[in-house]
Amino acid sequence: MVDGFRPATLQEALDIRSKHDCLPIAGSTDLMVQKARGFALKPDFGKPLLFIGHLPELHKISIEKDQIHIGAGVLLTDLLNSDIIPAIFKEAVCLMASPPSRNLASIGGNICNASPAGDTLPYLYAVDAQLVLKSARGERTVSVDRFITGPKQTDLAKNELLTDIIIPNKQFDVNYYRKVGQRKGMSLTKAAFQGMADIDNGMVADIRITFGSVAPTIVRSRDIEKSLIGIFAADIEDKVSEILERYTPLVRPIDDARSSAVYRKKVSLRLLEDFLRKISKEK
Amino acid sequence: MKIDFILNNQSQTIDVHPARRLLDLLREDFGLTSVKEGCGEGECGACVVLMDGKAVNSCLVPAGNIIGKSIVTLESFKKTERYKMIESCFLEAGSVQCGFCTPGIVIATESLLTENPNPTDEEIKEGLSGNLCRCTGYNMIFKGIHLAAERGNGLW
């Protein structure tokens, strides 16, 4: 068996992907840990590796037609150093792992790893990020909530690679992000909350609410969001308990080594409450 | 897989499995034992080396990802003026006790000061957030880095 492939171009990578059963690997910060076998042993991946992290085609960040295109291989450090990436997204990225890991890890890897606790995901779900999936035959675009089908599961076909992430080039009027972890630095997420809204003439014109790490995938309800549009921001205050009640059944965390279901649920709903009260104070 | 890379300013060509950890290559094949294995999962920072000038966890880097890269470990970094400044400031501040975390801390300090020569307290904590030390309680390390930043005018 071949140990691995290191193509020079994206096209070459797609050709290899169409001919071989192989595992795409970029920054490798998640995969090397998942497949680790202990001190001084090489991780066992069970199939040849397809190295794609170095491909220049996957490292661009650009604005096209009012949308931000982010190459799947863009490093977390590069997201933080970019003038184009929205500040509210950077808030989540700068709390991921530590600088030496952010110098390796890619945004595409965080998406394809599809962890319920993936820290780029609450934002990407909230803005309906579109993912470009390429194969030797062509390409398709899917939204992130359709791409991730379950914990650690995606819709990526065996001949495809995630090449670009497309997000709107837009700042919301109200921006709120909180990650709850064991400590400030180098922490894995117990619960994450992302809230964003636009207020127009005192009324809610757009609102996005997502929860991370409290269900098999990121939680978002378009129905509840839609029902809040058109309400005067000041009136949100009176609706807090009603809105919390509607989200209660959707937030369904588990007990694990990192936290308890009871704590995760309580803190998630309290963060939602805090966000709603922040909106109600907007003019 | 054939791997061409630069190690401590010297070109190297090796033939290894591309999943082999950079940490093991450095320690086992090249005898560079300043690079320590602590956790083996990117949490402790004891194995941190410079890759193209930036701190990375060598336990998380497969050999296939170092092709064309420049890797620097403490063995060569210690010959620089910047290292000497960090060393004297760490000595003065008492930043080293058992020493196991120190190579990683020194490399993380170099990476931090290269990017930000005048870090605030908070930026130093953030820059070193990937390095664990079980002895010092960190305050002496932060103080050592502060001193190096203060006195290292022009070095970074």
Side-chain angles (χ1 to χ4, degrees):
Chain A
M1 187 174 84
V2 189
D3 296 334
F5 303 96
R6 197 170 187 280
T9 63
L10 178 60
Q11 191 53 51
E12 208 182 302
L14 295 173
D15 288 341
I16 293 167
R17 190 91 166 115
S18 68
K19 288 180 198 132
H20 301 270
D21 183 19
C22 54
L23 181 69
I25 187 164
S28 75
T29 52
D30 272 315
L31 284 174
M32 288 292 276
V33 175
Q34 284 166 24
K35 303 294 179 185
R37 291 188 303 152
F39 281 14
L41 292 173
K42 78 173 168 54
D44 188 359
F45 294 95
K47 51 172 95 169
L49 296 172
L50 174 59
F51 289 93
I52 55 170
H54 60 286
L55 296 173
E57 295 95 328
L58 303 182
H59 280 269
K60 291 177 201 146
I61 305 180
S62 61
I63 299 177
E64 290 167 38
K65 295 183 195 151
D66 232 27
Q67 290 182 313
I68 301 173
H69 289 240
I70 307 168
V74 167
L75 303 180
L76 301 183
T77 301
D78 298 335
L79 290 175
L80 294 175
N81 290 337
S82 160
D83 299 331
I84 298 176
I85 300 298
I88 185 65
F89 188 28
K90 289 185 184 179
E91 272 189 45
V93 176
C94 77
L95 292 174
M96 292 171 76
S98 64
S101 294
R102 293 200 294 267
N103 286 336
L104 294 169
S106 66
I107 180 174
N110 195 244
I111 296 168
C112 290
N113 195 40
S115 163
D119 283 324
T120 63
L121 301 178
Y123 176 81
L124 295 175
Y125 271 66
V127 299
D128 287 316
Q130 300 296 306
L131 309 181
V132 180
L133 308 172
K134 286 191 181 155
S135 72
R137 287 200 198 154
E139 67 173 72
R140 63 186 174 119
T141 303
V142 294
S143 62
V144 65
D145 61 332
R146 286 178 185 272
F147 179 70
I148 294 177
T149 53
K152 301 262 164 201
Q153 279 160 10
T154 69
D155 181 34
L156 189 73
K158 281 201 160 180
N159 62 344
E160 284 178 326
L161 290 173
L162 168 63
T163 60
D164 297 274
I165 297 99
I166 305 172
I167 60 174
N169 182 23
K170 164 184 165 61
Q171 302 275 0
F172 287 84
D173 298 333
V174 186
N175 292 285
Y176 186 104
Y177 174 76
R178 292 285 186 282
K179 163 172 167 167
V180 182
Q182 192 73 17
R183 59 192 95 80
K184 242 169 125 183
M186 198 66 232
S187 80
L188 294 170
T189 301
K190 295 177 179 203
F193 176 84
Q194 181 91 58
M196 294 181 291
D198 280 335
I199 311 295
D200 198 4
N201 289 323
M203 282 188 293
V204 176
D206 193 350
I207 186 163
R208 315 288 175 98
I209 292 169
T210 56
F211 299 86
S213 216
V214 293
T217 56
I218 302 299
V219 172
R220 179 176 175 194
S221 166
R222 287 166 205 274
D223 287 343
I224 302 177
E225 289 174 8
K226 225 176 271 172
S227 72
L228 301 176
I229 290 171
I231 294 176
F232 278 103
D235 293 344
I236 290 276
E237 178 92 48
D238 303 329
K239 291 185 165 286
V240 167
S241 50
E242 180 199 323
I243 299 167
L244 291 185
E245 217 164 279
R246 292 182 70 187
Y247 275 102
T248 299
L250 306 180
V251 177
R252 44 196 177 95
I254 55 165
D255 286 315
D256 65 10
R258 232 174 279 157
S259 188
S260 69
V262 172
Y263 175 77
R264 284 178 156 137
K265 183 149 189 161
K266 189 156 235 168
V267 78
S268 297
L269 293 170
R270 290 234 169 120
L271 290 172
L272 170 61
E273 181 174 349
D274 195 36
F275 169 62
L276 294 171
R277 292 198 194 284
K278 190 175 172 188
I279 292 182
S280 68
K281 290 185 191 101
E282 285 289 313
K283 293 280 172 319
Chain B
M1 188 183 265
K2 189 170 149 267
I3 314 271
D4 288 310
F5 71 115
I6 297 167
L7 176 58
N8 291 337
N9 306 314
Q10 288 191 319
S11 294
Q12 301 282 355
T13 301
I14 52 175
D15 195 358
V16 295
H17 195 287
R20 190 117 191 275
R21 303 183 307 171
L22 174 58
L23 167 64
D24 299 326
L25 275 182
L26 296 173
R27 285 186 62 88
E28 310 284 328
D29 300 7
F30 290 96
L32 300 170
T33 51
S34 75
V35 188
K36 308 297 185 199
E37 172 148 22
C39 66
E41 46 190 51
E43 302 240 353
C44 77
C47 70
V48 164
V49 300
L50 294 174
M51 183 157 84
D52 286 351
K54 285 187 172 166
V56 298
N57 305 102
S58 65
C59 70
L60 298 181
V61 179
N65 267 346
I66 63 168
I67 294 174
K69 303 276 187 191
S70 168
I71 307 293
V72 172
T73 70
L74 201 65
E75 280 82 355
S76 100
F77 179 60
K78 75 178 182 189
K79 294 172 192 154
T80 64
E81 287 303 308
R82 297 199 300 278
Y83 170 78
K84 285 169 193 156
M85 176 58 70
I86 295 173
E87 183 189 63
S88 71
C89 294
F90 274 29
L91 276 172
E92 189 175 324
S95 314
V96 179
Q97 285 186 31
C98 88
F100 190 83
C101 72
T102 309
I105 300 252
V106 169
I107 296 289
T109 301
E110 158 71 1
S111 183
L112 168 69
L113 294 180
T114 301
E115 208 168 293
N116 180 0
N118 296 299
T120 61
D121 286 351
E122 207 48 41
E123 286 164 348
I124 290 177
K125 285 184 190 172
E126 161 62 23
L128 272 284
S129 61
N131 295 78
L132 295 182
C133 169
R134 309 309 326 178
C135 303
T136 61
Y138 301 102
N139 283 329
M140 289 97 102
I141 295 172
F142 298 151
K143 197 176 160 202
I145 297 171
H146 248 308
L147 277 179
E150 261 170 48
R151 294 182 190 164
N153 237 341
L155 281 178
W156 283 280

